[in-house]
Amino acid sequence: MSRIGLLGGTFDPPHWGHLWLAELARVELELDKVLFLPVGNPVHKQRRVITAVPHRLHMVSLAIQDNPHFVLDTTDCNRSAPHTTVTLLPLLRQAYPNADFWLLIGGDSLRDLPTWVEPTRLIQQCRLAVLMRPGAEIDWQDLETAVPGIETAVDLLDGPTLSISATAIRRWVQNGFEPTYLLPTAVAKYIQQNHLYAG
Ligand code: ATP
């Protein structure tokens, strides 16, 4: 039985917060690998223009290139909308029939889980590995009321937290600065060469 972490995201751009979440989960939960699953057209983020899929795929492959346990998976961005996690899991199950799955998410995603499509059905298909994120407090009682069973479905990761977000990086670049030390150098170079987020 293999143990697989699933890290879905917009990755616009991928940054150290994502990579640290994946690595901490890999070590603590003894995962065999972590699949990075860029979303095609996220249901949560339709209010802003998302960078084209090929750019985001390229940035993720650059971000994970040094870690043999990290794998780019295009299942989500290659299917048609809507891109909900609850319908992605059965597709991944077909590809990995014998794996135990952990969905890796930040504390902000856990807090917002009640707004996801069918969160209760989702947590019947996988466990959640959560790294708290500065600024996202969890009200466990409210969460349990909204998503029954959530408390026992979560593995809280125990490690340093990072407040880096893609939003802050996009803003930083838009203001004319380079995103040095916020994400891997190869990704920073790609952003610069392709004039991403330049406003
Ligand atoms: P944006 O700022 O555009 O909303 P983001 O930085 O939150 O983007 P996403 O691609 O939306 O990045 O995140 C994918 C997953 O990674 C989410 O579950 C999110 O909570 C988690 N994540 C992102 N950054 C961090 C971080 N610094 N610490 C913990 N989890 C994180």
Side-chain angles (χ1 to χ4, degrees):
M1 198 81 157
S2 60
R3 298 163 70 86
I4 298 182
L6 311 172
L7 177 47
T10 321
F11 301 115
D12 194 13
H15 53 71
W16 291 125
H18 298 123
L19 294 162
W20 172 235
L21 166 60
E23 180 63 4
L24 181 63
R26 186 187 75 76
V27 172
E28 278 196 6
L29 299 169
E30 299 181 344
L31 303 178
D32 298 296
K33 59 179 162 182
V34 175
L35 307 184
F36 283 64
L37 296 138
V39 72
N41 180 24
V43 282
H44 289 285
K45 300 198 176 173
Q46 281 168 352
R47 258 178 272 141
R48 73 170 183 88
V49 177
I50 312 287
T51 303
V53 168
H55 278 314
R56 292 188 289 113
L57 288 181
H58 206 109
M59 288 192 284
V60 171
S61 61
L62 290 171
I64 65 176
Q65 65 188 353
D66 296 329
N67 192 322
H69 303 285
F70 292 176
V71 177
L72 173 63
D73 188 304
T74 56
T75 306
D76 197 41
C77 59
N78 282 342
R79 68 181 174 143
S80 47
H83 296 267
T84 63
T85 309
V86 72
T87 57
L88 174 63
L89 263 290
L91 300 178
L92 297 173
R93 177 58 67 205
Q94 278 171 21
Y96 300 97
N98 297 315
D100 286 330
F101 286 145
W102 276 263
L103 187 65
L104 316 185
I105 57 174
D108 57 316
S109 298
L110 177 63
R111 181 199 56 202
D112 298 341
L113 203 67
T115 68
W116 290 26
V117 175
E118 294 192 74
T120 310
R121 188 152 75 90
L122 175 64
I123 63 169
Q124 285 157 5
Q125 301 181 68
C126 62
R127 291 191 61 76
L128 302 183
V130 180
L131 176 60
M132 285 308 166
R133 232 176 145 174
E137 303 307 323
I138 307 295
D139 184 328
W140 283 101
Q141 222 168 356
D142 280 2
L143 196 58
E144 184 64 36
T145 306
V147 187
I150 185 70
E151 276 193 88
T152 52
V154 167
D155 292 308
L156 278 179
L157 300 172
D158 184 16
T161 59
L162 293 177
S163 65
I164 300 173
S165 71
T167 304
I169 294 174
R170 289 193 302 274
R171 228 175 267 147
W172 182 251
V173 175
Q174 219 162 29
N175 289 338
F177 302 108
E178 284 175 27
T180 318
Y181 305 130
L182 293 169
L183 38 66
T185 307
V187 180
K189 280 194 181 137
Y190 186 88
I191 289 172
Q192 196 185 21
Q193 281 160 3
N194 291 277
H195 312 292
L196 301 183
Y197 317 121

